[in-house]
mmCIF file of all heavy atoms in Angstrom:
data_model
loop_
_atom_site.group_PDB
_atom_site.id
_atom_site.type_symbol
_atom_site.label_atom_id
_atom_site.label_comp_id
_atom_site.label_asym_id
_atom_site.label_seq_id
_atom_site.Cartn_x
_atom_site.Cartn_y
_atom_site.Cartn_z
ATOM 1 N N LEU T 1613 -11.655 7.956 -4.051
ATOM 2 C CA LEU T 1613 -13.083 8.142 -4.329
ATOM 3 C C LEU T 1613 -13.359 8.087 -5.856
ATOM 4 O O LEU T 1613 -12.447 8.120 -6.644
ATOM 5 C CB LEU T 1613 -13.526 9.461 -3.760
ATOM 6 C CG LEU T 1613 -13.257 9.691 -2.226
ATOM 7 C CD1 LEU T 1613 -13.711 11.069 -1.723
ATOM 8 C CD2 LEU T 1613 -13.919 8.561 -1.408
ATOM 9 N N GLU T 1614 -14.668 8.059 -6.181
ATOM 10 C CA GLU T 1614 -15.045 7.996 -7.575
ATOM 11 C C GLU T 1614 -14.517 9.239 -8.400
ATOM 12 O O GLU T 1614 -14.421 9.168 -9.627
ATOM 13 C CB GLU T 1614 -16.581 7.862 -7.708
ATOM 14 C CG GLU T 1614 -17.047 6.531 -7.230
ATOM 15 C CD GLU T 1614 -16.578 5.390 -8.032
ATOM 16 O OE1 GLU T 1614 -16.178 5.545 -9.201
ATOM 17 O OE2 GLU T 1614 -16.671 4.211 -7.535
ATOM 18 N N ASN T 1615 -14.415 10.419 -7.766
ATOM 19 C CA ASN T 1615 -14.002 11.633 -8.352
ATOM 20 C C ASN T 1615 -12.520 11.720 -8.638
ATOM 21 O O ASN T 1615 -11.957 12.747 -8.913
ATOM 22 C CB ASN T 1615 -14.493 12.839 -7.739
ATOM 23 C CG ASN T 1615 -13.915 13.026 -6.261
ATOM 24 O OD1 ASN T 1615 -13.098 12.146 -5.861
ATOM 25 N ND2 ASN T 1615 -14.358 14.048 -5.532
ATOM 26 N N LYS T 1616 -11.771 10.587 -8.306
ATOM 27 C CA LYS T 1616 -10.306 10.516 -8.402
ATOM 28 C C LYS T 1616 -9.523 11.310 -7.386
ATOM 29 O O LYS T 1616 -8.345 11.414 -7.488
ATOM 30 C CB LYS T 1616 -9.817 10.889 -9.810
ATOM 31 C CG LYS T 1616 -10.387 9.930 -10.886
ATOM 32 C CD LYS T 1616 -9.887 10.296 -12.222
ATOM 33 C CE LYS T 1616 -10.480 9.309 -13.311
ATOM 34 N NZ LYS T 1616 -9.939 9.673 -14.673
ATOM 35 N N LYS T 1617 -10.229 11.833 -6.350
ATOM 36 C CA LYS T 1617 -9.633 12.466 -5.190
ATOM 37 C C LYS T 1617 -9.523 11.384 -4.060
ATOM 38 O O LYS T 1617 -10.169 10.323 -4.173
ATOM 39 C CB LYS T 1617 -10.399 13.644 -4.734
ATOM 40 C CG LYS T 1617 -10.576 14.777 -5.650
ATOM 41 C CD LYS T 1617 -9.253 15.514 -5.857
ATOM 42 C CE LYS T 1617 -9.462 16.808 -6.613
ATOM 43 N NZ LYS T 1617 -8.125 17.586 -6.767
ATOM 44 N N TYR T 1618 -8.624 11.750 -3.125
ATOM 45 C CA TYR T 1618 -8.395 10.786 -2.025
ATOM 46 C C TYR T 1618 -9.050 11.321 -0.781
ATOM 47 O O TYR T 1618 -9.092 12.507 -0.517
ATOM 48 C CB TYR T 1618 -6.950 10.502 -1.827
ATOM 49 C CG TYR T 1618 -6.244 9.838 -3.003
ATOM 50 C CD1 TYR T 1618 -5.747 10.538 -4.040
ATOM 51 C CD2 TYR T 1618 -6.184 8.453 -2.980
ATOM 52 C CE1 TYR T 1618 -5.128 9.899 -5.170
ATOM 53 C CE2 TYR T 1618 -5.577 7.801 -4.055
ATOM 54 C CZ TYR T 1618 -5.098 8.517 -5.148
ATOM 55 O OH TYR T 1618 -4.507 7.861 -6.272
ATOM 56 N N ARG T 1619 -9.558 10.385 0.037
ATOM 57 C CA ARG T 1619 -10.227 10.735 1.366
ATOM 58 C C ARG T 1619 -9.375 10.327 2.474
ATOM 59 O O ARG T 1619 -8.917 9.221 2.556
ATOM 60 C CB ARG T 1619 -11.622 10.085 1.397
ATOM 61 C CG ARG T 1619 -12.411 10.441 2.676
ATOM 62 C CD ARG T 1619 -13.739 9.749 2.622
ATOM 63 N NE ARG T 1619 -13.577 8.280 2.691
ATOM 64 C CZ ARG T 1619 -14.582 7.474 2.284
ATOM 65 N NH1 ARG T 1619 -15.700 7.914 1.782
ATOM 66 N NH2 ARG T 1619 -14.378 6.107 2.352
ATOM 67 N N TYR T 1620 -9.278 11.205 3.445
ATOM 68 C CA TYR T 1620 -8.589 10.964 4.698
ATOM 69 C C TYR T 1620 -9.584 10.815 5.812
ATOM 70 O O TYR T 1620 -10.456 11.757 5.944
ATOM 71 C CB TYR T 1620 -7.627 12.136 4.935
ATOM 72 C CG TYR T 1620 -6.797 12.177 6.240
ATOM 73 C CD1 TYR T 1620 -5.506 11.905 6.272
ATOM 74 C CD2 TYR T 1620 -7.459 12.552 7.428
ATOM 75 C CE1 TYR T 1620 -4.745 12.014 7.408
ATOM 76 C CE2 TYR T 1620 -6.703 12.631 8.565
ATOM 77 C CZ TYR T 1620 -5.370 12.339 8.609
ATOM 78 O OH TYR T 1620 -4.652 12.457 9.725
ATOM 79 N N ALA T 1621 -9.489 9.858 6.628
ATOM 80 C CA ALA T 1621 -10.331 9.690 7.808
ATOM 81 C C ALA T 1621 -9.473 9.257 8.978
ATOM 82 O O ALA T 1621 -8.513 8.362 8.830
ATOM 83 C CB ALA T 1621 -11.435 8.664 7.563
ATOM 84 N N SER T 1622 -9.684 9.818 10.154
ATOM 85 C CA SER T 1622 -8.834 9.527 11.292
ATOM 86 C C SER T 1622 -9.591 9.339 12.566
ATOM 87 O O SER T 1622 -10.754 10.020 12.742
ATOM 88 C CB SER T 1622 -7.730 10.544 11.456
ATOM 89 O OG SER T 1622 -8.254 11.749 11.873
ATOM 90 N N TRP T 1623 -9.086 8.441 13.404
ATOM 91 C CA TRP T 1623 -9.647 8.160 14.696
ATOM 92 C C TRP T 1623 -8.534 8.158 15.739
ATOM 93 O O TRP T 1623 -7.329 8.054 15.349
ATOM 94 C CB TRP T 1623 -10.308 6.757 14.691
ATOM 95 C CG TRP T 1623 -11.421 6.445 13.664
ATOM 96 C CD1 TRP T 1623 -12.721 6.447 14.057
ATOM 97 C CD2 TRP T 1623 -11.349 6.096 12.351
ATOM 98 N NE1 TRP T 1623 -13.496 6.061 12.890
ATOM 99 C CE2 TRP T 1623 -12.608 5.913 11.842
ATOM 100 C CE3 TRP T 1623 -10.248 5.967 11.472
ATOM 101 C CZ2 TRP T 1623 -12.898 5.554 10.522
ATOM 102 C CZ3 TRP T 1623 -10.448 5.620 10.175
ATOM 103 C CH2 TRP T 1623 -11.811 5.417 9.706
ATOM 104 N N SER T 1624 -8.888 8.200 16.980
ATOM 105 C CA SER T 1624 -7.867 7.957 18.010
ATOM 106 C C SER T 1624 -7.521 6.469 17.978
ATOM 107 O O SER T 1624 -8.358 5.686 17.567
ATOM 108 C CB SER T 1624 -8.359 8.344 19.370
ATOM 109 O OG SER T 1624 -9.509 7.512 19.773
ATOM 110 N N LYS T 1625 -6.351 6.148 18.476
ATOM 111 C CA LYS T 1625 -5.955 4.787 18.363
ATOM 112 C C LYS T 1625 -6.864 3.784 19.175
ATOM 113 O O LYS T 1625 -6.982 2.626 18.825
ATOM 114 C CB LYS T 1625 -4.491 4.675 18.821
ATOM 115 C CG LYS T 1625 -3.846 3.241 18.467
ATOM 116 C CD LYS T 1625 -2.401 3.263 18.720
ATOM 117 C CE LYS T 1625 -1.758 1.925 18.316
ATOM 118 N NZ LYS T 1625 -0.313 1.895 18.483
ATOM 119 N N GLU T 1626 -7.476 4.310 20.189
ATOM 120 C CA GLU T 1626 -8.358 3.498 21.068
ATOM 121 C C GLU T 1626 -9.710 3.253 20.430
ATOM 122 O O GLU T 1626 -10.442 2.492 20.962
ATOM 123 C CB GLU T 1626 -8.521 4.112 22.410
ATOM 124 C CG GLU T 1626 -7.265 4.227 23.296
ATOM 125 C CD GLU T 1626 -6.279 5.316 22.783
ATOM 126 O OE1 GLU T 1626 -6.830 6.305 22.138
ATOM 127 O OE2 GLU T 1626 -5.096 5.154 22.979
ATOM 128 N N SER T 1627 -9.982 3.948 19.282
ATOM 129 C CA SER T 1627 -11.267 3.871 18.665
ATOM 130 C C SER T 1627 -11.284 2.641 17.712
ATOM 131 O O SER T 1627 -10.422 1.773 17.633
ATOM 132 C CB SER T 1627 -11.633 5.142 17.928
ATOM 133 O OG SER T 1627 -12.938 5.119 17.415
ATOM 134 N N ASP T 1628 -12.370 2.580 16.925
ATOM 135 C CA ASP T 1628 -12.557 1.511 15.926
ATOM 136 C C ASP T 1628 -13.103 2.207 14.626
ATOM 137 O O ASP T 1628 -13.754 3.165 14.642
ATOM 138 C CB ASP T 1628 -13.505 0.504 16.430
ATOM 139 C CG ASP T 1628 -13.602 -0.756 15.560
ATOM 140 O OD1 ASP T 1628 -14.352 -0.691 14.544
ATOM 141 O OD2 ASP T 1628 -12.860 -1.714 15.792
ATOM 142 N N ILE T 1629 -12.645 1.633 13.461
ATOM 143 C CA ILE T 1629 -13.059 2.212 12.171
ATOM 144 C C ILE T 1629 -14.593 2.089 11.919
ATOM 145 O O ILE T 1629 -15.144 2.671 11.004
ATOM 146 C CB ILE T 1629 -12.283 1.686 10.986
ATOM 147 C CG1 ILE T 1629 -12.544 0.178 10.781
ATOM 148 C CG2 ILE T 1629 -10.801 1.974 11.199
ATOM 149 C CD1 ILE T 1629 -11.971 -0.395 9.512
ATOM 150 N N SER T 1630 -15.272 1.323 12.781
ATOM 151 C CA SER T 1630 -16.741 1.232 12.579
ATOM 152 C C SER T 1630 -17.394 2.477 13.281
ATOM 153 O O SER T 1630 -18.564 2.711 13.078
ATOM 154 C CB SER T 1630 -17.302 -0.077 13.398
ATOM 155 O OG SER T 1630 -16.935 -0.098 14.655
ATOM 156 N N ASN T 1631 -16.622 3.165 14.096
ATOM 157 C CA ASN T 1631 -17.090 4.454 14.749
ATOM 158 C C ASN T 1631 -17.011 5.614 13.833
ATOM 159 O O ASN T 1631 -16.232 5.643 12.845
ATOM 160 C CB ASN T 1631 -16.407 4.626 16.028
ATOM 161 C CG ASN T 1631 -16.555 3.544 17.088
ATOM 162 O OD1 ASN T 1631 -17.560 2.917 17.166
ATOM 163 N ND2 ASN T 1631 -15.440 3.325 17.818
ATOM 164 N N LYS T 1632 -17.740 6.732 14.204
ATOM 165 C CA LYS T 1632 -17.659 7.897 13.411
ATOM 166 C C LYS T 1632 -16.161 8.503 13.573
ATOM 167 O O LYS T 1632 -15.698 8.560 14.620
ATOM 168 C CB LYS T 1632 -18.690 8.882 13.914
ATOM 169 C CG LYS T 1632 -18.674 10.228 13.115
ATOM 170 C CD LYS T 1632 -19.770 11.147 13.615
ATOM 171 C CE LYS T 1632 -19.716 12.459 12.745
ATOM 172 N NZ LYS T 1632 -20.779 13.432 13.278
ATOM 173 N N PRO T 1633 -15.488 8.803 12.451
ATOM 174 C CA PRO T 1633 -14.186 9.313 12.575
ATOM 175 C C PRO T 1633 -14.164 10.693 13.205
ATOM 176 O O PRO T 1633 -15.168 11.437 13.070
ATOM 177 C CB PRO T 1633 -13.657 9.342 11.141
ATOM 178 C CG PRO T 1633 -14.868 9.350 10.347
ATOM 179 C CD PRO T 1633 -15.956 8.613 11.067
ATOM 180 N N ASP T 1634 -13.005 11.095 13.766
ATOM 181 C CA ASP T 1634 -12.796 12.420 14.329
ATOM 182 C C ASP T 1634 -12.648 13.544 13.211
ATOM 183 O O ASP T 1634 -12.949 14.613 13.447
ATOM 184 C CB ASP T 1634 -11.646 12.389 15.290
ATOM 185 C CG ASP T 1634 -11.851 11.428 16.408
ATOM 186 O OD1 ASP T 1634 -12.899 11.427 16.991
ATOM 187 O OD2 ASP T 1634 -10.822 10.669 16.625
ATOM 188 N N LEU T 1635 -12.067 13.093 12.137
ATOM 189 C CA LEU T 1635 -11.776 14.015 11.042
ATOM 190 C C LEU T 1635 -11.926 13.297 9.647
ATOM 191 O O LEU T 1635 -11.412 12.154 9.492
ATOM 192 C CB LEU T 1635 -10.397 14.515 11.196
ATOM 193 C CG LEU T 1635 -9.832 15.527 10.062
ATOM 194 C CD1 LEU T 1635 -10.672 16.767 10.096
ATOM 195 C CD2 LEU T 1635 -8.369 15.839 10.334
ATOM 196 N N VAL T 1636 -12.584 13.960 8.709
ATOM 197 C CA VAL T 1636 -12.727 13.417 7.320
ATOM 198 C C VAL T 1636 -12.366 14.615 6.380
ATOM 199 O O VAL T 1636 -12.898 15.685 6.519
ATOM 200 C CB VAL T 1636 -14.102 12.922 7.011
ATOM 201 C CG1 VAL T 1636 -14.190 12.430 5.597
ATOM 202 C CG2 VAL T 1636 -14.450 11.779 7.932
#
Side-chain angles (χ1 to χ4, degrees):
L1613 304 179
E1614 293 294 340
N1615 64 1
K1616 299 182 180 180
K1617 296 288 187 178
Y1618 293 88
R1619 180 179 63 202
Y1620 176 106
S1622 69
W1623 300 258
S1624 66
K1625 192 171 182 179
E1626 294 74 28
S1627 187
D1628 189 273
I1629 64 171
S1630 62
N1631 297 328
K1632 183 178 180 179
D1634 301 314
L1635 177 64
V1636 177

